[in-house]
């Protein structure tokens, strides 16, 4: 599906997610337009990562609707009957996790090629060319034949970003992509993410506590509090004129 600027890539409507008696998401409504970078922030346990995992159905929504690039799926108890729809929706989402989740027995190149070959059915020579291109984009063309154990944490996360990019997604979902990194390695990952946003105009949803990145790159920020979006606005609105004391206390703690 081809989307134009200003058209929603992601729509989330009345999303609820419970784990047993614990309701983690309490009616989330959100749209993300093509080219937007939406930074999602808040305290641990506020539902941020659960939102991303529901968008690509790593978690099954208890109730509500998820739409990505025109693939619209209702949550609820019959979700297991929609496997083909979920597979199609996931084709439009790239996911980057806190932990890198690379295949240790594959080189960086092999990790990046795996999705296009096994999921999209690309011929190996075409997948190889694509993998080399995206590894170069994240600054790791010279590490293509290295195994993950030989790479730093920052390099492994950049391979993980390349792996997601190789699927040519319409939206990239980043779940605290720098939280497992040593401080000196965080900048190299954030630099790649900035380039994706500013040079490729990639649509991105980013769960992070990196407020410098948010101020510089985000189109919009959403503060999660107890399973709801308490406040939403541009970086200048959030940082300079926040409306809620809960948001202000969080920002004061992390800035």
């Amino acid at each position: 599906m081809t989307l134009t600027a200003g058209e929603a890539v992601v729509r989330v409507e009345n999303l609820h997610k419970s784990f047993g008696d614990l309701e983690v998401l309490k009616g989330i409504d959100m749209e993300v337009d093509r080219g937007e970078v939406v930074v999602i922030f808040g305290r641990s346990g506020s539902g941020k990562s659960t939102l991303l995992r529901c968008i690509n159905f790593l978690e099954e929504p208890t109730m509500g609707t998820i739409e990505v690039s025109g693939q619209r799926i209702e949550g609820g108890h019959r979700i297991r009957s929609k496997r083909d729809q979920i597979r199609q929706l996931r084709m439009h989402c790239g996911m980057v996790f806190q932990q890198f989740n690379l295949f240790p027995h594959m080189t960086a190149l092999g990790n990046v090629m795996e999705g296009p070959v096994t999921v999209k059915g690309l011929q190996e020579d075409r997948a190889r060319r694509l993998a080399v291109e995206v590894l170069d984009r994240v600054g790791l063309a010279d590490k293509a034949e290295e195994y993950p154990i030989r790479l730093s944490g920052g390099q492994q996360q950049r391979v993980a970003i390349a792996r997601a990019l190789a699927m040519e997604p319409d939206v990239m979902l980043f779940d605290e992509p720098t939280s497992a990194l040593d401080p000196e390695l965080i900048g190299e990952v954030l630099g790649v993410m900035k380039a994706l946003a500013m040079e490729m105009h990639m649509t991105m949803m980013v769960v992070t506590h990196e407020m410098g990145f948010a101020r510089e790159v985000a189109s919009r920020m959403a503060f999660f509090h107890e399973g709801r979006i308490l406040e939403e606005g541009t970086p200048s609105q959030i940082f300079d004129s926040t409306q809620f004391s809960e948001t202000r206390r969080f920002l004061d703690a992390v800035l």
Side-chain angles (χ1 to χ4, degrees), residues 9-10 30-40 52 55 92 94 96 161 165 169-175 177 189-208 213 217-221:
V9 178
V10 178
M30 178 179 279
E31 289 194 1
V32 181
D33 286 347
R34 184 174 180 82
E36 272 198 302
V37 177
V38 177
V39 166
I40 299 161
L52 295 193
I55 287 173
H92 299 282
V96 179
I161 293 171
L165 285 174
D170 291 323
V171 59
M172 289 279 284
L173 310 176
F174 292 88
D175 185 10
V189 173
L190 293 180
V192 168
M193 294 169 63
K194 289 177 186 176
L196 293 179
M198 295 179 171
E199 297 170 17
M200 294 182 60
H201 307 291
M202 176 65 71
T203 309
M204 296 161 58
M205 298 180 71
V206 185
V207 171
T208 187
F213 171 86
V217 180
S219 315
R220 188 158 40 100
M221 299 175 67

Side-chain angles (χ1 to χ4, degrees), residues 11-247:
R11 286 190 177 92
V12 177
E13 299 173 5
N14 193 33
L15 178 62
H16 292 256
K17 176 60 182 176
S18 297
F19 297 95
D21 294 332
L22 178 63
E23 190 176 22
V24 176
L25 296 177
K26 304 174 182 178
I28 301 296
D29 292 295
M30 178 179 279
E31 289 194 1
V32 181
D33 286 347
R34 184 174 180 82
E36 272 198 302
V37 177
V38 177
V39 166
I40 299 161
F41 69 112
R43 292 180 175 81
S44 296
S46 60
K48 312 179 302 295
S49 294
T50 301
L51 169 66
L52 295 193
R53 292 177 66 84
C54 283
I55 287 173
N56 68 0
F57 286 85
L58 290 174
E59 298 288 354
E60 297 180 357
T62 304
M63 185 173 71
T65 303
I66 304 291
E67 183 177 334
V68 178
S69 296
Q71 293 290 331
R72 183 177 176 88
I73 304 176
E74 296 282 344
H77 67 284
R78 295 184 178 178
I79 198 69
R80 294 185 187 278
S81 67
K82 302 174 183 176
R83 290 178 180 172
D84 287 343
Q85 288 176 269
I86 291 171
R87 186 178 65 82
Q88 288 298 318
L89 180 145
R90 286 175 176 164
M91 297 279 279
H92 299 282
C93 294
M95 184 84 179
V96 179
F97 300 90
Q98 298 176 37
Q99 301 296 331
F100 322 123
N101 294 342
L102 300 178
F103 295 114
H105 63 289
M106 293 183 179
T107 63
L109 185 69
N111 269 278
V112 176
M113 288 176 60
E114 181 69 9
V117 170
T118 62
V119 178
K120 298 182 76 173
L122 261 64
Q123 296 293 324
E124 285 205 11
D125 58 344
R126 185 179 171 195
R128 182 179 297 274
R129 290 194 298 271
L130 175 62
V132 169
E133 177 185 325
V134 293
L135 282 170
D136 184 55
R137 190 175 294 158
V138 301
L140 290 175
D142 61 331
K143 301 293 185 182
E145 299 302 332
E146 297 285 359
Y147 288 87
I149 197 170
R150 298 283 301 273
L151 301 175
S152 70
Q155 289 170 335
Q156 290 186 58
Q157 190 62 296
R158 284 189 281 156
V159 172
I161 293 171
R163 179 178 59 186
L165 285 174
M167 295 297 290
E168 300 178 317
D170 291 323
V171 59
M172 289 279 284
L173 310 176
F174 292 88
D175 185 10
E176 299 195 43
T178 60
S179 64
L181 299 178
D182 294 331
E184 66 270 21
L185 301 177
I186 290 173
E188 65 186 69
V189 173
L190 293 180
V192 168
M193 294 169 63
K194 289 177 186 176
L196 293 179
M198 295 179 171
E199 297 170 17
M200 294 182 60
H201 307 291
M202 176 65 71
T203 309
M204 296 161 58
M205 298 180 71
V206 185
V207 171
T208 187
H209 291 164
E210 298 291 340
M211 293 295 102
F213 171 86
R215 187 187 289 273
E216 184 177 354
V217 180
S219 315
R220 188 158 40 100
M221 299 175 67
F223 179 64
F224 271 53
H225 180 69
E226 297 181 352
R228 295 184 172 89
I229 299 174
L230 182 65
E231 186 167 6
E232 193 170 6
T234 65
S236 62
Q237 289 170 332
I238 294 295
F239 287 114
D240 302 331
S241 56
T242 180
Q243 301 297 306
F244 292 88
S245 60
E246 292 88 348
T247 315

